[in-house]
Amino acid sequence: MKKLLIILFTCSPLLLISQSKGEFTIKLNEGLVYDSKHTSNDIFDHTPDVYTTHDGPGKAKNGIQLSTGYSLNDNLLIGLSFMSAKIEASNGVEYTEGKFTETNMFAEYSIFKKSGFGLFTKAGFGGVFYETNRFLESDGSSVPTVNQLGDDKSDGTASKLLYGMGMSYKITDAVNVSLELTRNVVYDDGFDGWNEDEWRENKATDRYVYASIGVSYTFLKNKKDRPKKTSINTSKPIVTPKNPVKTQSNVITQPVEPAVEPVVEPAVEPVVEPVVEPAVEPAVEPAVEPVVEPVVEPAE
């Protein structure tokens, strides 16, 4: 089993890259792990299966998950996830404390998208490495994890399945937030430290639920899908043209930094009107008649 999980963990990214023709996504989830109440595992009424409670020992514990994936098309994504978490459970008589790491291959299918909101389903398979301890609730003393078959369930490995669903909201073309709920089926009744396989013909399973919130970032593959960046140079004033340019779609656009060429007005020669001086009539002096002195002829 350990060899199988190691191969799954190391080879899955290469398998995804070789098959993918879409966009690469990375996601980080943080949430709570709940050990599910599984009554079909009960053998005796006085020793029921342990499960997560809301008070006392056996509370929900934190889990962090990192996943990567590739979009094969607009609705389908396949990926690989890794999670590290703690888990606690109780049945009123005993309680268990454990921690585990898991690796999964999964497929995520979008069933609804509108106005940035989306719904998706999720399913996958993988493996889990776990460690667990059992204690009495009365005094907190340790309880052996070895059953009558000699199986020590203080640690181990097991295969698992997961299925669930979630909702998402697109903040930008590349960034999404999501709420997810997945149920995990572990094929080992000793996963939570409570193992009664010695009383069964077939081995039982354990189940836990992971409720989380996630943030994902998608590396957009095509340049045309990237949001366009507009830079405004604040060192130069923005000049709005007097006559806006109309595009073919009749949308008036105003360029951010239009090239402003100085308007050179043609030199206009001033019109010089001739100065008309008023006609001055010459002063007419009265004619002076010459005084003609009479010629006096001498007397003979």
Side-chain angles (χ1 to χ4, degrees):
M1 175 60 69
K2 289 184 178 180
K3 291 182 179 179
L4 176 62
L5 295 176
I6 292 173
I7 293 172
L8 174 65
F9 182 77
T10 56
C11 297
S12 294
L14 299 177
L15 179 63
L16 293 177
I17 292 174
S18 64
Q19 291 184 347
S20 174
K21 297 180 181 179
E23 297 167 346
F24 173 75
T25 300
I26 185 169
K27 181 190 287 188
L28 180 65
N29 287 67
E30 183 172 3
L32 295 175
V33 178
Y34 300 84
D35 192 320
S36 300
K37 187 175 183 179
H38 193 40
T39 55
S40 63
N41 282 356
D42 295 346
I43 300 298
F44 306 106
D45 293 338
H46 62 281
T47 57
D49 188 34
V50 293
Y51 58 93
T52 297
T53 59
H54 297 287
D55 54 355
K59 293 182 179 180
K61 290 298 181 179
N62 187 61
I64 298 177
Q65 184 182 74
L66 179 66
S67 60
T68 61
Y70 281 91
S71 299
L72 298 183
N73 54 49
D74 291 341
N75 296 323
L76 180 62
L77 178 143
I78 59 172
L80 177 71
S81 66
F82 174 82
M83 185 170 79
S84 176
K86 293 181 178 180
I87 189 169
E88 289 188 5
S90 171
N91 62 3
V93 178
E94 299 182 13
Y95 69 94
T96 64
E97 293 180 351
K99 59 182 179 179
F100 65 93
T101 57
E102 65 170 27
T103 304
N104 303 295
M105 285 190 68
F106 66 90
E108 193 174 287
Y109 186 78
S110 176
I111 57 178
F112 172 80
K113 289 181 182 178
K114 188 175 182 180
S115 303
F117 290 93
L119 292 175
F120 60 88
T121 59
K122 190 174 185 179
F125 68 95
V128 59
F129 301 85
Y130 67 87
E131 296 179 8
T132 185
N133 295 288
R134 293 169 61 178
F135 306 92
L136 287 175
E137 289 195 18
S138 57
D139 57 6
S141 58
S142 178
V143 177
T145 55
V146 180
N147 60 19
Q148 294 183 7
L149 298 177
D151 297 330
D152 185 0
K153 292 302 180 179
S154 60
D155 58 53
T157 61
S159 57
K160 62 182 290 288
L161 291 177
L162 69 93
Y163 56 91
M165 65 181 305
M167 60 182 295
S168 63
Y169 179 73
K170 180 185 291 187
I171 298 178
T172 67
D173 288 343
V175 179
N176 285 264
V177 294
S178 61
L179 294 173
E180 301 180 31
L181 185 68
T182 58
R183 194 180 191 197
N184 300 262
V185 181
V186 182
Y187 291 97
D188 188 339
D189 190 33
F191 169 73
D192 56 9
W194 189 264
N195 182 14
E196 294 181 331
D197 280 343
E198 66 266 33
W199 306 103
R200 301 186 183 94
E201 294 182 2
N202 299 315
K203 290 188 176 182
T205 60
D206 274 329
R207 290 168 170 79
Y208 65 91
V209 172
Y210 182 51
S212 66
I213 181 171
V215 179
S216 66
Y217 182 83
T218 300
F219 297 89
L220 301 178
K221 182 178 179 181
N222 300 322
K223 292 184 178 179
K224 64 180 181 180
D225 295 334
R226 297 179 183 272
K228 296 181 180 178
K229 296 181 180 180
T230 354
S231 59
I232 300 178
N233 189 351
T234 55
S235 62
K236 296 181 181 180
I238 298 176
V239 180
T240 304
K242 295 181 180 179
N243 298 322
V245 181
K246 293 186 178 180
T247 62
Q248 294 180 355
S249 58
N250 296 327
V251 178
I252 298 177
T253 59
Q254 295 182 352
V256 178
E257 293 185 10
V260 180
E261 297 182 358
V263 179
V264 180
E265 296 183 356
V268 180
E269 295 182 359
V271 179
V272 180
E273 296 182 358
V275 179
V276 180
E277 297 182 355
V280 179
E281 295 181 359
V284 179
E285 296 181 357
V288 180
E289 294 182 358
V291 179
V292 180
E293 295 181 359
V295 179
V296 180
E297 294 181 358
E300 293 181 358

